[in-house]
Each structure stands twice: as C-alpha cells, then as structure tokens.
Amino acid sequence: MSKEEIKAFMDASRITEPATVEEFHQAVKDAYKDRTRQVYFIWRKLKELYPEVDANRVIREGSWDFGLYQGQKIVEKFGDAEKIGPKEALLGQTSRGGLLVFEQEIQELEDNRAVKIFNCCPHCEALRELGCSPEEIKMFCRDMLGHCDYAICEPFPNVEIDFPTTIADGEGKGCAMTITRKK
C-alpha cells in the first residue's frame, strides 16, 4: 500500500473527527457482539476438541471471574465494599456505552433497591445471527454469560442481585437487573 493509499484510507476513516452518537452506539454494540461471538466460538471449539470437558462450566466460570474483576473495579471506585449498597452497585456498573447499547432505563435508584431494565441485548442479537435457537440463547444467557453480572456484586456484602426477567427468556420482556440490600 502506497503512502497515498494509506492517507486516503485514513482520511476516509475520519479517525480524527469526533464520533456521532450513532457511530459511538454502533461501535460499542459491535464490540459487545464480537465479544459474544468470540465466546461462542471458544465454547463450540471446546465441545468439539474436548468433549469430555464441560464447556458450559468453562464459560460460566470464566464469566464469573470476569464479573469479579469488574466488581473489584467498582470497589476501587467507591473505596469500601461495605459502603456499596444497591444504588452504588447499579451506578458502578452503568456507563454511557451500556446505556446506549443495551437501551438501559434506570427505573429505581434507592438505598434498599435499584432496578435497571435492559431493552436491547447485543449478546442475544449476536447469538441469533450465529444461528442459535431460542433455547440455546437462553442457555447462554442464564447458564453462562449472565454469571458475570452475579459475580460483579459478589464483593459487596450488603447487596444481592437477580434478574427476574431477561431478553433471552423469549417472553418479550427486558432484562430486569434488580439489586436489593441484604437484610
């Protein structure tokens, strides 16, 4: 590639220009979908090459460890895991990218309960695009990928998290991240 071709390519990429909200939204969504696709192909290859290995468990445990890592970042942000209640736990795992890509709505934000609804799921979309059945998508969410979210709250002794509904359940409801204070 000549210097002129490289310059033309870089100019066409508009890398030095600010991204629009739509461009940012799509770039973050594509990144989430790629992460899901990568996990899916690792899961599938584990099943193919090592049928004696519980591939679901490998992905579930890896998701759990990733969630613990994310939860520790929230502890570092707030300074003390004991001080983290539902409000802090929810806000600690909420970002501009997440709000846009998952079309999140914070419905409750109290000291004893916080609820955030995910109205879109790039993980489910990526799995659908890969040809997964509704049952496989639900399994991926509930049995593997979703363990990340539960682990995020593990370092916080005063809260518990649940998802009474998820997009992957196929019931037409959003993912209802519900964080409550332990009694």
Side-chain angles (χ1 to χ4, degrees):
M1 190 176 257
S2 71
K3 288 186 179 189
E4 293 80 27
E5 289 174 311
I6 293 169
K7 183 178 179 341
F9 175 81
M10 294 305 291
D11 289 346
S13 73
R14 300 180 8 243
I15 195 73
T16 59
E17 297 175 21
T20 66
V21 172
E22 294 80 18
E23 289 169 330
F24 176 74
H25 172 256
Q26 193 60 53
V28 175
K29 186 174 189 175
D30 288 344
Y32 271 104
K33 289 169 82 171
D34 279 345
R35 187 179 86 187
T36 302
R37 290 180 189 110
Q38 182 180 29
V39 170
Y40 171 81
F41 285 111
I42 291 169
W43 171 79
R44 203 169 82 184
K45 192 55 73 173
L46 278 169
K47 292 172 76 68
E48 175 189 326
L49 296 177
Y50 305 101
E52 71 282 3
V53 171
D54 184 347
N56 289 27
R57 181 176 180 204
V58 172
I59 301 303
R60 178 175 47 253
E61 296 293 329
S63 293
W64 180 266
D65 289 350
F66 177 63
L68 288 177
Y69 170 79
Q70 295 292 89
Q72 191 55 47
K73 287 171 55 177
I74 296 170
V75 171
E76 291 168 12
K77 179 179 179 179
F78 287 101
D80 183 358
E82 295 283 336
K83 293 180 181 176
I84 296 174
K87 184 188 319 185
E88 295 82 11
L90 187 132
L91 293 177
Q93 56 184 297
T94 302
S95 67
R96 181 180 185 195
L99 288 164
L100 284 168
V101 170
F102 289 91
E103 299 175 17
Q104 298 172 344
E105 297 175 58
I106 298 174
Q107 290 191 338
E108 292 182 48
L109 195 58
E110 305 296 331
D111 289 332
N112 290 319
R113 180 177 158 97
V115 178
K116 178 169 65 172
I117 305 297
F118 297 59
N119 293 298
C120 177
C121 182
H123 304 301
C124 290
E125 288 179 24
L127 292 168
R128 248 191 302 315
E129 290 167 7
L130 290 169
C132 292
S133 69
E135 295 78 22
E136 289 173 311
I137 294 169
K138 183 176 180 178
M139 182 237 354
F140 249 85
C141 172
R142 291 285 192 179
D143 188 43
M144 292 184 275
L145 299 178
H147 284 262
C148 168
D149 295 304
Y150 288 93
I152 287 173
C153 288
E154 183 69 17
F156 320 142
N158 299 316
V159 304
E160 50 195 8
I161 183 172
D162 192 25
F163 284 83
T165 63
T166 70
I167 291 169
D169 294 339
E171 299 170 354
K173 297 177 182 175
C175 300
M177 175 186 278
T178 305
I179 304 174
T180 55
R181 185 172 299 279
K182 288 182 181 176
K183 295 179 181 173

